[in-house]
Amino acid sequence: MRRPKHANQAVPGCGFHHVAIRTADWDRSLKFWEGALGFQVAIQWGEAPRRAAMLDTGDGNYLEIFERDPVPEGWPSEGSILHFCFRTDDCDAALERARAAGAEVTVEPKTIEINGTLQVPVRLAFFKGPDGEICELFQNEVL
């Protein structure tokens, strides 16, 4: 269930959608998030060793998990968190607001389809926040 909308200056329809993390142990991660917090797989795609899934956290938001090779010890890494994602009703307009505020755009708006346990058309874009954090804008009607 989504929280009530409040009157503010946010981009219409914009809010938190998901945080994306990496895992080197797919089964362990799914077992943990499903068992510990009761998250449920909403969509899953890809094949080992590059699977991905969005887990419904129960409140209209998601945890996205990407299967990745472990980072070798001593190598620089972005850690487990890959990016933060915000839902929006208008990806292009939201990105233009971020760009106008000085954000570095890393992926211009594009439409893709997630083909997994569901087929989900998505309009998305990426930019860097003020401290270099990777942010995604995510527009869709399904997730």
Side-chain angles (χ1 to χ4, degrees), residues 6-83:
H6 300 283
N8 60 31
Q9 298 298 317
V11 172
C14 193
F16 186 76
H17 187 271
H18 69 263
V19 63
I21 63 171
R22 72 169 54 234
T23 181
D25 188 329
W26 181 257
D27 293 327
R28 180 195 66 205
S29 289
L30 283 182
K31 182 178 177 183
F32 176 82
W33 292 112
E34 289 175 321
L37 296 178
F39 296 171
Q40 295 183 353
V41 174
I43 182 173
Q44 187 171 331
W45 64 96
E47 296 179 19
R50 304 297 274 186
R51 293 172 281 193
M54 280 201 192
L55 305 179
D56 187 334
T57 63
D59 65 353
N61 298 306
Y62 299 88
L63 175 66
E64 187 174 33
I65 300 175
F66 287 96
E67 184 177 33
R68 298 290 186 262
D69 296 330
V71 176
E73 195 171 319
W75 282 40
S77 163
E78 72 266 5
S80 294
I81 296 176
L82 298 174
H83 65 263

Side-chain angles (χ1 to χ4, degrees), residues 124-139:
L124 57 79
F126 286 84
F127 65 92
K128 288 186 181 178
D131 292 302
E133 62 276 15
I134 302 299
C135 301
E136 179 183 9
L137 297 168
F138 193 88
Q139 176 184 341

